[in-house]
Amino acid sequence: MKHLIKISDYNIRAKKENANEDLMQNKMAVLLQLCKKKDRKAQRELFNHYKHKVYELIYKSLGPKFDIDDVLQQVFIELFKSLNYFKGQSSLDTWVYKIGSKICTTQLRKKYRKRQASIVYDSTQIDNDKNLNISEKNYEEEQKELEEVIYNALDKLEPEKRIVITLFEMEGRTLEEISEILNIPLGTVKSRLFHGRKILQKLLCNYIKE
Amino acid sequence: MTTNNKKSENLHTLLAKIKVPAKTENEWKLLENELFYKLENQKKPKFINNIFSFLQELLIQLRPNVAIAVASSFLIFIAFIGILISFLNKSQTSVSVIQLVTFTNNTNILWNGLDKINNLSSNQIKFHKNKVSGTTIITSTGDSAIITLNKGNSIKIYPNTKLIVEKATLTRIVCNLKEGSILVKVNKLNGKNKFEIKTPITICNVIGTVFRVNSLNNSKTIVSVYEGKVKCTSLSKKNYWEKFVESGNEIIVENTNKPFISNYSSLPPVQDISILNLLLEVDSLKDALLYFNSTPNGAKVVINGFMEGKTPLIIKKPQGVYSLSVFEEGFYPWEKTLAINNTRFIQINAQLKELPQQNKLSVRKIYPIKQTEEKLATLPAYINALVAMSSCRYQDALLIFDSLWSSGNIDIKGRMFIMDKINYCYSQLGDFEKAIENLEEKYNKAQNIQEKGQILWEMATIKANCLGDYQEAEMALVEFLIIQPNALWAHSAYGKLAEIQYYLGKYKHAAETYKKHIKTFPQDPDIDRSIYNLACIYAWDLKKLDKAVYWYSKLITSFPKSKYKANAFFRRGECYMQLGEVENALIDFNTYLLLSPNGIWKEVCLGYLKKLKEA
C-alpha cells in the first residue's frame, strides 16, 4: 500500500509538472497572440524569455569580434516581424533559433566575403607563435587566447558548415533539430558536420589529443 | 609539455570551453530599451528601397560565385525586358489610334493631305498601322461621319464640317475643327493622356465628357457640354483665359468679347441626346445603325410591322432583311425592303408625296359608320382608321390611332375603346408571341440595368398593344419603373401603366400611378392628359367629385394651352351639376361651348343646359 501511495504521489507531482508545462504553453500562446498584434509589453516579455538563449547562440556562432548587441537587436526585430508567419508547426524555440541562425549566417557571409578579399594568413604559424606564450599567462588571458584561436579556426570555415558546428557542438542541438532550424535535409547536416569537423581538427590539431 | 596538458580530449570539449561573457541586469535593461526604441522609431522603408534591400539580402544569402551568376543574369533579364518594352512601345505607336471611320456617301476624307478617298462601296475605312495624323474629313450638306477612336472614344461629325486630325498618338489626340460642328464622347482620361479640340479661336481640353463644339465663321465658337467637364482656353497667350464648362452649360466664345457661360437652350432635347449617345457607342455595336430622315419631318417609322418612332430617328438593327415603311397622315406611305450585311451606318431618306385632299373627304361620304357610345365616330380620323382596318391596311390604321391617341378629344374611356382596336390591328400584323419569347431570352442575358429596362419597356408595349395581355404588361411596367425610375421613357411608362390599370379595373391603382406621374415628372409635355384622366377616374369610377373638381380646376388654371382644357370645362360642369352647384355648372358649360363650338359634346352640353334652365 505504501508503494501505491508513493506511486500516486509521484503521479500527482508529475501531473502538477504537466500542468505547469501546460500553463507555460498557454502563457506562450497568449504571448504569441499579443506579439502578433504588436503589443509592446508582450514583446518585452518575449524578449526577456529568449534573450539569454539568443545571446549565447550569437556569441557562440559569431565570436567576440562582432557587435553582439547589434546583432541581438536585429534578431529580435526580425523575430517580431516574422511572428505573423509563424504557424505553430514547429516549436517557438526552433523558430527563434531559425531566425537567429539565419541572421548569424548572413553576418558571417558578409565577413567571409570581406575576409576573402584580404590576405589569408597561415593559421598554423600564428597558432604556433601564440603557443609559446601560453604558459606565461594567467588563466583568463589563456582563456581569451584559446577563444581567439578557436574563432580564428572557425573563421576559416564556410558559414554553412560553421553554423552547423556551432549548433551541434556548442549549443548541443540534435541533428534533426538542426535540419529543421536550417531547413536543410538531414544528410546535408551530417555531411557539413563531418567536413567541418575534419577541417577544424586539422586547424586545431595542437589543442586536441589524437 | 604544458600545452600538451591543456589539450582537450576532442573537438567537442574544446569548443565547449568557450564561455559566453555574462551581462549584468543593467546592461540587459539598456539593451532592451534600445531595442524597443528602435522598434518604435522604425520608418517604413520605401518600396524601391525595400526591393533593393531584399535583393541585397538575397545575394548575401547565396554563395559568391552563385551570387555573381544570379546578379548578372538578373541584369541581363532587366536589359531584355527594357528592350522588349521599347519594342512593344514602338509597335504600339504604329497601331493607329483611329480605328474606324464610318461616313455617308458624299463625305470626303483626305488622308495625310495626299490621298482622296471617295465614293467607297462600304462607307467605312479601317485604319491599320497607318499614320493617321493629318487626316482631314469634310462633310457636305446632309452627310455625316463617325470617327471611332481607341479606348471607346468617338467623334460624330455633323454636316458641313471640316475636321483635321492634327495629332493622334496613344497619349495625345489633337483635332482641329475648321468649321461646322462635332459631337465628342471621351471616356475619363488619365493624367498623362490629352484630348484637345482646337477651333480658330479656342482650345477645348477634355477631361472625360460628351460635348458638342460648334464653330461659326471663324469668329464664334459654341461649346455645349452634355456630360462631365471641359476646359476651354484661349488660343493666344496675350489675353489668356481659361474656363471650365460643366454639364448642362455651354460657352460662347467670340473674337471680340470675353467668353461667357450660359445654360444651353438651343441644344437638342434629352431624348435626342440618348440617340446621340447610341450613335457614339458605334464601336461597341455589332449591329448596323439606321438613320431615318424624311420630308416632312416627324413621320412614323415602322420596321417589320413594329412602330419604331418618328423621324429623324436612329435605330440599331442586326444583320438581316427588313421591310421599312415611313408614314405620315395625308401622305402616301413610303416603303422599301432593306438587306443589312456588313455596313454599320445606313442613311435612309424618305421623301413622302402628299395625298390629294379629295381622298379624305370622299371616304367619309361613302362609309357612314354607326355612332359609338363615346362619340368617337364623329371624328374623321377615327373613321379613316376604321376604313383602313376594313381594307386590311392595318399599319395605316395603327398610325391613325396613334395620332388619335395624342389628340385632345379622347378621354380615358375612349382610349380603352381604341386600345382594343389597336390590339386587333397588331394581332393581324405579326407573330408577337415569338417576339415576346425572344425578348424574354434577351432579358435573361442582359447585364445592364438600362438594357433590362429597355427590354421590359418593349415587352410591356408589345404585351399591351399587340397581345392584349394587360396583366403581364402591368407587371413588366411596374418592374421597369422600379429598375429605372428615371429612365427616358419613365414618364410615358407611368401614363401607360395607369391606362392598363384602368383597363384592368384597378381604379385606385390607376389614380395613384397618375398622381406619381404628376409628382415625379411635372414638366412632362403629356402631364395635362394625366391630370385630365385622373380627374375623370375620380369623377366616374371612384365617385369623389370634390377631388375631380380639384384636378379639373388644376388642369384649367395651370395648363391654359392644354388640348384638354375645353373638355375639362365640360366635365367639371358635369361634376358641379351632380354636386348641385347650378351656377358653376352653367358657367362651365357655357365656356365649353365658347371654347369648342363644334366639339363632340356640343349636343350633350346643350341638353344639360336645357335641363338646368328648366330646373
Side-chain angles (χ1 to χ4, degrees):
Chain A
M1 281 299 285
K2 275 182 182 177
H3 272 289
L4 274 175
I5 290 162
K6 268 184 184 174
I7 287 164
S8 63
D9 273 358
Y10 185 76
N11 278 344
I12 288 162
R13 210 177 294 153
K15 263 184 193 172
K16 268 184 185 173
E17 274 168 16
N18 278 341
N20 277 337
E21 264 178 31
D22 282 353
L23 253 178
M24 273 299 287
Q25 275 181 358
N26 280 337
K27 198 186 166 189
M28 286 315 286
V30 172
L31 255 185
L32 256 178
Q33 286 304 320
L34 286 171
C35 282
K36 280 180 186 176
K37 286 171 190 169
K38 309 216 163 153
D39 183 282
R40 291 281 179 240
K41 257 190 181 176
Q43 282 180 346
R44 271 174 198 270
E45 212 159 313
L46 199 75
F47 172 79
N48 283 321
H49 191 267
Y50 279 108
K51 64 184 177 186
H52 294 290
K53 277 184 186 173
V54 175
Y55 181 69
E56 273 185 28
L57 173 72
I58 293 166
Y59 187 86
K60 280 174 181 168
S61 53
L62 297 182
K65 285 175 190 171
F66 280 83
D67 185 356
I68 306 290
D69 291 357
D70 191 51
V71 179
L72 185 93
Q73 285 170 354
Q74 273 187 43
V75 170
F76 274 99
I77 289 169
E78 189 62 37
L79 178 70
F80 294 145
K81 261 191 212 169
S82 67
L83 274 181
N84 286 327
Y85 304 103
F86 176 67
K87 278 161 192 169
Q89 285 167 347
S90 57
S91 70
L92 188 60
D93 273 31
T94 320
W95 186 259
V96 173
Y97 268 94
K98 209 175 213 171
I99 283 158
S101 55
K102 192 176 149 193
I103 282 174
C104 286
T105 323
T106 36
Q107 291 290 332
L108 286 173
R109 274 212 189 92
K110 273 181 194 168
K111 206 200 167 189
Y112 187 72
R113 214 149 282 168
K114 273 179 198 167
R115 198 200 54 195
Q116 270 199 332
S118 64
I119 304 156
V120 180
Y121 295 101
D122 189 9
S123 63
T124 46
Q125 269 187 11
I126 303 165
D127 293 345
N128 289 335
D129 292 341
K130 277 168 189 170
N131 286 344
L132 295 174
N133 301 326
I134 279 180
S135 58
E136 294 157 17
K137 283 168 188 170
N138 57 26
Y139 177 76
E140 267 185 32
E141 277 170 340
E142 262 176 37
Q143 179 67 25
K144 254 191 186 176
E145 277 185 10
L146 184 69
E147 267 180 27
E148 212 179 321
V149 169
I150 291 169
Y151 279 112
N152 274 337
L154 281 171
D155 279 351
K156 288 187 180 65
L157 281 178
E158 284 169 38
E160 290 82 17
K161 285 170 189 164
R162 183 172 168 171
I163 200 80
V164 173
I165 289 198
T166 316
L167 286 170
F168 187 80
E169 302 284 7
M170 300 180 181
E171 288 286 316
R173 297 266 146 190
T174 61
L175 291 173
E176 285 80 11
E177 276 176 332
I178 294 169
S179 95
E180 201 180 342
I181 287 167
L182 298 178
N183 207 9
I184 49 174
L186 198 63
T188 319
V189 177
K190 279 176 185 169
S191 79
R192 278 182 189 173
L193 192 65
F194 174 74
H195 290 291
R197 266 181 181 164
K198 226 179 183 180
I199 295 166
L200 272 184
Q201 269 163 0
K202 249 186 201 174
L203 288 170
L204 300 169
C205 56
N206 292 333
Y207 297 89
I208 301 166
K209 283 176 187 170
E210 283 169 18
Chain B
M1 287 300 289
T2 47
T3 48
N4 270 341
N5 286 340
K6 305 235 163 157
K7 270 188 182 177
S8 305
E9 297 267 324
N10 56 22
L11 188 66
H12 180 72
T13 45
L14 179 71
L15 291 178
K17 279 182 181 174
I18 291 175
K19 279 179 182 168
V20 183
K23 270 187 188 293
T24 58
E25 271 306 305
N26 274 342
E27 277 175 333
W28 277 121
K29 205 83 206 162
L30 270 175
L31 196 69
E32 189 186 327
N33 287 339
E34 204 181 330
L35 169 69
F36 281 92
Y37 178 78
K38 271 185 188 173
L39 276 173
E40 289 287 348
N41 296 321
Q42 249 182 351
K43 279 178 189 171
K44 277 190 179 174
K46 282 178 185 174
F47 181 67
I48 291 170
N49 287 348
N50 226 347
I51 286 176
F52 272 109
S53 63
F54 172 73
L55 285 176
Q56 215 177 353
E57 294 257 311
L58 201 77
L59 285 179
I60 286 164
Q61 298 270 328
L62 296 166
R63 294 179 192 201
N65 44 359
V66 181
I68 290 164
V70 167
S72 53
S73 59
F74 182 69
L75 285 176
I76 291 165
F77 178 70
I78 284 180
F80 176 72
I81 283 183
I83 292 164
L84 202 76
I85 286 171
S86 64
F87 178 73
L88 276 177
N89 263 348
K90 269 188 185 175
S91 62
Q92 265 187 3
T93 43
S94 63
V95 170
S96 80
V97 178
I98 296 181
Q99 286 163 349
L100 185 77
V101 178
T102 322
F103 51 91
T104 46
N105 283 330
N106 294 319
T107 309
N108 286 332
I109 295 180
L110 302 161
W111 176 45
N112 269 352
L114 294 171
D115 306 318
K116 190 170 184 180
I117 307 161
N118 209 353
N119 293 331
L120 283 173
S121 55
S122 70
N123 286 0
Q124 275 186 3
I125 304 175
K126 276 185 182 174
F127 286 85
H128 288 300
K129 296 187 179 182
N130 285 335
K131 283 184 180 175
V132 236
S133 48
T135 308
T136 310
I137 298 168
I138 305 163
T139 53
S140 51
T141 38
D143 289 304
S144 59
I146 301 159
I147 304 177
T148 312
L149 304 166
N150 60 347
K151 293 172 191 166
N153 304 332
S154 40
I155 301 173
K156 175 168 186 193
I157 303 166
Y158 287 99
N160 294 325
T161 304
K162 187 181 176 185
L163 183 81
I164 302 167
V165 182
E166 283 190 347
K167 222 178 199 184
T169 60
L170 282 175
T171 50
R172 194 164 178 222
I173 295 170
V174 182
C175 295
N176 197 338
L177 178 67
K178 288 286 178 190
E179 58 179 316
S181 63
I182 55 171
L183 187 101
V184 187
K185 184 197 165 196
V186 184
N187 292 333
K188 221 170 193 186
L189 297 176
N190 293 334
K192 281 183 184 175
N193 294 0
K194 278 189 174 175
F195 196 108
E196 284 178 13
I197 306 284
K198 282 184 189 171
T199 70
I201 48 172
T202 183
I203 302 170
C204 307
N205 276 302
V206 182
I207 308 167
T209 48
V210 177
F211 71 104
R212 182 176 168 156
V213 187
N214 212 335
S215 173
L216 309 164
N217 309 327
N218 286 353
S219 60
K220 192 178 177 186
T221 297
I222 305 168
V223 182
S224 332
V225 183
Y226 298 95
E227 264 179 50
K229 222 181 197 184
V230 172
K231 183 175 129 189
C232 288
T233 53
S234 62
L235 263 187
S236 62
K237 286 182 180 174
K238 274 186 180 176
N239 300 320
Y240 183 79
W241 53 264
E242 65 171 50
K243 288 208 167 169
F244 286 94
V245 192
E246 296 198 353
S247 60
N249 292 322
E250 67 182 10
I251 187 168
I252 299 164
V253 187
E254 282 183 85
N255 250 353
T256 49
N257 298 334
K258 272 199 169 182
F260 63 90
I261 296 173
S262 64
N263 284 335
Y264 54 69
S265 52
S266 57
L267 287 179
V270 185
Q271 256 175 330
D272 205 357
I273 293 171
S274 77
I275 292 167
L276 293 169
N277 266 334
L278 182 73
L279 228 171
L280 287 164
E281 278 162 13
V282 81
D283 58 327
S284 60
L285 292 179
K286 284 174 187 169
D287 306 345
L289 283 181
L290 306 181
Y291 176 59
F292 285 92
N293 223 337
S294 71
T295 43
N297 253 348
K300 284 130 201 163
V301 178
V302 175
I303 300 176
N304 285 359
F306 282 97
M307 168 94 174
E308 298 282 356
K310 289 178 180 178
T311 57
L313 179 71
I314 295 164
I315 309 166
K316 46 180 175 175
K317 285 282 168 197
Q319 293 188 357
V321 183
Y322 296 93
S323 72
L324 316 174
S325 24
V326 179
F327 297 95
E328 177 64 47
E329 224 179 320
F331 291 88
Y332 284 112
W334 178 96
E335 279 171 345
K336 198 183 179 184
T337 50
L338 178 79
I340 302 171
N341 295 325
N342 286 320
T343 41
R344 288 178 112 188
F345 187 75
I346 300 163
Q347 189 171 15
I348 295 150
N349 270 318
Q351 293 198 331
L352 304 176
K353 283 179 186 173
E354 220 171 323
L355 277 169
Q357 281 269 315
Q358 289 177 348
N359 243 7
K360 283 182 180 175
L361 293 171
S362 60
V363 164
R364 197 176 169 189
K365 280 175 190 169
I366 295 164
Y367 301 99
I369 302 282
K370 285 178 199 168
Q371 283 200 341
T372 61
E373 54 174 27
E374 291 296 324
K375 301 209 172 189
L376 285 167
T378 52
L379 300 166
Y382 187 75
I383 297 161
N384 279 344
L386 290 184
V387 169
M389 272 174 77
S390 59
S391 57
C392 292
R393 288 185 291 119
Y394 294 112
Q395 288 182 346
D396 296 13
L398 279 173
L399 289 174
I400 298 165
F401 281 132
D402 197 41
S403 63
L404 258 178
W405 196 253
S406 50
S407 77
N409 278 324
I410 312 298
D411 46 45
I412 195 155
K413 274 189 180 166
R415 293 171 84 81
M416 297 305 109
F417 205 79
I418 291 173
M419 230 144 104
D420 278 342
K421 292 269 184 277
I422 287 176
N423 279 338
Y424 180 74
C425 286
Y426 271 118
S427 65
Q428 297 297 318
L429 272 172
D431 189 3
F432 293 103
E433 272 160 8
K434 243 184 193 174
I436 287 281
E437 276 175 23
N438 285 337
L439 280 173
E440 270 169 0
E441 264 185 34
K442 260 191 194 174
Y443 178 77
N444 289 332
K445 284 176 190 170
Q447 291 164 348
N448 275 342
I449 289 178
Q450 286 185 343
E451 221 178 315
K452 276 190 175 180
Q454 198 175 345
I455 292 164
L456 276 171
W457 171 246
E458 276 175 27
M459 269 162 69
T461 40
I462 291 173
K463 276 170 182 168
N465 284 344
C466 317
L467 291 171
D469 193 353
Y470 291 113
Q471 279 181 340
E472 288 269 3
E474 188 201 358
M475 271 160 66
L477 277 175
V478 168
E479 200 182 341
F480 170 70
L481 284 172
I482 288 167
I483 290 178
Q484 282 187 294
N486 298 317
L488 285 173
W489 315 283
H491 54 90
S492 38
Y494 272 117
K496 191 121 207 155
L497 178 62
E499 275 165 22
I500 287 168
Q501 281 168 342
Y502 186 81
Y503 195 91
L504 290 169
K506 299 175 179 175
Y507 301 124
K508 272 188 183 176
H509 288 264
E512 272 175 22
T513 11
Y514 272 135
K515 270 186 189 171
K516 257 188 200 169
H517 181 204
I518 294 158
K519 222 184 194 181
T520 43
F521 296 99
Q523 285 172 344
D524 182 11
D526 285 335
I527 203 77
D528 52 343
R529 189 172 70 203
S530 289
I531 295 173
Y532 180 66
N533 285 340
L534 176 63
C536 287
I537 290 171
Y538 273 127
W540 302 336
D541 306 303
L542 297 173
K543 304 287 176 198
K544 288 180 179 171
L545 294 172
D546 309 342
K547 282 191 177 176
V549 168
Y550 166 77
W551 284 110
Y552 283 134
S553 313
K554 191 166 187 184
L555 176 69
I556 290 160
T557 49
S558 48
F559 298 96
K561 286 179 186 174
S562 168
K563 292 179 266 184
Y564 298 92
K565 192 184 169 186
N567 282 349
F569 270 113
F570 173 69
R571 296 291 179 202
R572 194 170 73 173
E574 277 184 337
C575 287
Y576 279 136
M577 207 168 76
Q578 285 179 34
L579 284 167
E581 297 176 29
V582 182
E583 279 185 18
N584 285 334
L586 277 172
I587 294 165
D588 277 351
F589 287 136
N590 281 322
T591 38
Y592 171 74
L593 287 174
L594 264 175
L595 283 171
S596 60
N598 296 317
I600 48 172
W601 305 108
K602 188 187 167 188
E603 289 166 24
V604 183
C605 192
L606 286 171
Y608 282 148
L609 279 173
K610 253 189 187 176
K611 267 189 186 175
L612 284 173
K613 274 172 192 170
E614 280 171 12

